Amino acid sequence: MGRTREGELYYSPSCKFEYLKRLIDNKEERGLLKCFEERVEELYLKPAYVLIEEANNKKSDNSSMGLVFSAGLICVSAIDFLGRFYFGCPKDEVECRFVGWLLKYMSPPFNALLAKKFYKDFRNGLVHECRIKNGGEFSLNEGETIREEVDDNGVRYLVVNPEKLLKKLEDGFKNYLDDLRQDENMLSQLVECLKKDFKEDFRKEDDSNER
């Protein structure tokens, strides 16, 4: 996440990498899940809500466009993050894990067709190029979480309300946490992914403690 002025590296606002590693090594599942929950809430969900709130305050003009876009971007990245842990952080299969998490924890409104198009147009566009592909858009004026439209040329595109998407994501995350608390295999996958994805952060903390 980042270092404090004192040089300590944090995974979440109150959880140092040094502490997270100790939780993993000692198999302290309760503390581990607390750190994981805090990271998702404080780094992804709450900032997205702040952006949405600010956008709603400016809803009458286009000055909210960047806020809406950024909130949607955070939501898409958070889904990508959670899907990786849900599927045990495989090297490939990015579409499978992203779509799989949507169908497991955000259905409805997502079905297989909408989830796959959302992955291709929104996830791939935003994560790789910071844009939405194929005419898709974020809109706070959209009444549904996600809806497919067809333009005059017969091209299908998606309209997504990031405020409603964020609420669905938050609800899905709560259900995912419940599953992690009850399913040892899922929790083991989470632990192994943390070790893999943050191994350099753990190493840096080990090195700094040895100095």
Side-chain angles (χ1 to χ4, degrees), residues 113-165:
L113 292 176
L114 284 178
K116 288 181 179 179
K117 187 162 181 59
F118 185 68
Y119 167 78
K120 292 177 180 177
D121 293 355
F122 282 72
R123 187 272 174 193
N124 286 351
L126 290 167
V127 170
H128 295 300
E129 302 170 14
C130 208
R131 70 183 181 95
I132 302 169
K133 296 184 175 183
N134 297 317
E137 60 186 78
F138 286 126
S139 174
L140 292 179
N141 296 320
E142 172 55 42
E144 304 294 329
T145 302
I146 183 169
R147 179 170 53 86
E148 186 175 54
E149 286 283 347
V150 182
D151 67 16
D152 294 338
N153 296 316
V155 177
R156 296 182 178 277
Y157 65 94
L158 296 178
V159 182
V160 175
N161 185 321
E163 184 173 18
K164 294 180 182 296
L165 181 69

Side-chain angles (χ1 to χ4, degrees), residues 67-119:
L67 300 168
V68 173
F69 183 87
S70 297
L73 174 59
I74 292 174
C75 289
V76 171
S77 295
I79 294 167
D80 208 19
F81 174 84
L82 294 169
R84 178 171 173 78
F85 290 112
Y86 175 60
F87 271 80
C89 55
K91 185 176 181 180
D92 300 309
E93 305 297 334
V94 178
E95 180 176 358
C96 180
R97 74 192 191 210
F98 187 92
V99 170
W101 204 89
L102 287 174
L103 296 180
K104 174 65 176 179
Y105 294 106
M106 295 178 68
S107 176
F110 286 94
N111 56 38
L113 292 176
L114 284 178
K116 288 181 179 179
K117 187 162 181 59
F118 185 68
Y119 167 78

